[in-house]
């Protein structure tokens, strides 16, 4: 009887200690899996219909808008941003129109000089870092105006980039890398 009780207690402790260990079957990295589970639990992202996270999928600008807007303002209602378009290449029928408009309204991302947003283009590391630094309330005055290098240097100093390795600021970001960065951002203090 003592062995059964001990086994039951150990099983309960293991299940309680590692709830996110197998949250997404397509994520092999434990840290990314935990970060993705945390993002799901906080409502920052939803899994795909098949329950996967797809950590190696390149993150688009529209996808990142969903994370950034929710992270910046958890109460944001993207539905109120669906009925208009700010960019000729983000049509009313685009799945992410509400999130793109919300992120732009929150001053997290901008369009390009030609007036487009390019919602389906891969988002680059330098942009992700600068957006997350803005979410943490850092400005050019805090980090310097040499974009994106001053933002990346400041992000390195405060620990935002911990566990992330990229070759350059133009590198496309995957969902897994974004999860790791967002997890780091949630653990940091807001600047002001």
């Amino acid at each position: 009887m003592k062995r059964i009780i001990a086994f039951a207690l150990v099983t309960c402790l293991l299940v309680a200690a590692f709830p996110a260990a197998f949250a997404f079957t397509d994520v092999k990295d434990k840290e990314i899996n935990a970060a993705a589970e945390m993002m799901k639990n906080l409502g920052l992202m939803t899994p795909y219909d098949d329950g996967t996270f797809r950590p190696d999928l390149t993150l688009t600008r529209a996808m990142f808008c969903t994370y950034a807007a929710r992270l910046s303002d958890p109460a944001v209602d993207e539905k109120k941003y669906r009925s208009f378009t700010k960019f000729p290449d983000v049509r009313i029928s685009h799945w992410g129109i509400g999130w793109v408009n919300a992120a732009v309204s929150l001053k997290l991302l901008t369009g390009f000089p030609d007036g487009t947003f390019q919602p389906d283009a891969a988002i680059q590391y330098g942009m992700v870092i600068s957006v997350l630094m803005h979410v943490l309330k850092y400005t050019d005055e805090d980090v310097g105006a040499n974009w994106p290098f001053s933002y990346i240097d400041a992000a390195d100093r405060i620990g935002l980039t911990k566990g992330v390795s990229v070759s350059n600021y133009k590198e496309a970001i995957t969902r897994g890398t974004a999860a790791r960065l967002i997890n780091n951002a949630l653990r940091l203090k807001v600047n002001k």
Side-chain angles (χ1 to χ4, degrees), residues 27-39:
V27 181
K28 305 303 179 219
D29 183 294
K30 289 180 184 179
E31 288 182 31
I32 292 175
N33 202 339
E37 180 69 10
M38 177 268 317
M39 287 175 60

Side-chain angles (χ1 to χ4, degrees), residues 8-175:
L9 286 173
V10 168
T11 302
C12 288
L13 287 172
L14 286 173
V15 169
F18 301 105
F22 303 104
F24 294 100
T25 58
D26 65 325
V27 181
K28 305 303 179 219
D29 183 294
K30 289 180 184 179
E31 288 182 31
I32 292 175
N33 202 339
E37 180 69 10
M38 177 268 317
M39 287 175 60
K40 182 182 88 172
N41 291 340
L42 291 175
L44 296 176
M45 71 89 180
T46 55
Y48 282 90
D49 291 340
D50 62 0
T52 60
F53 178 68
R54 302 180 191 173
D56 298 324
L57 183 70
T58 299
L59 194 63
T60 67
R61 288 173 51 86
M63 287 175 180
F64 187 67
C65 285
T66 65
Y67 302 164
R70 287 173 171 156
L71 189 60
S72 178
D73 180 4
V76 68
D77 181 9
E78 63 87 27
K79 291 177 185 123
K80 75 178 193 177
Y81 296 99
R82 287 185 193 169
S83 62
F84 61 94
T85 185
K86 293 181 177 228
F87 304 98
D89 61 335
V90 185
R91 299 190 175 175
I92 296 290
S93 60
H94 191 280
W95 72 265
I97 189 166
W99 292 113
V100 169
N101 289 335
V104 170
S105 294
L106 291 167
K107 299 183 184 340
L108 298 172
L109 284 99
T110 61
F112 290 95
D114 66 358
T116 64
F117 188 80
Q118 301 175 20
D120 300 317
I123 192 157
Q124 298 174 343
Y125 179 72
M127 180 57 68
V128 169
I129 292 299
S130 65
V131 169
L132 292 176
M133 291 295 285
H134 283 118
V135 168
L136 291 168
K137 306 295 185 207
Y138 284 87
T139 65
D140 286 352
E141 291 78 30
D142 299 317
V143 301
N146 185 15
W147 188 91
F149 307 107
S150 56
Y151 278 85
I152 293 170
D153 289 343
D156 290 344
R157 280 194 306 277
I158 67 170
L160 178 62
T161 59
K162 181 181 176 191
V164 174
S165 176
V166 297
S167 58
N168 69 64
Y169 75 96
K170 290 185 176 182
E171 185 174 321
I173 296 300
T174 63
R175 285 172 53 94

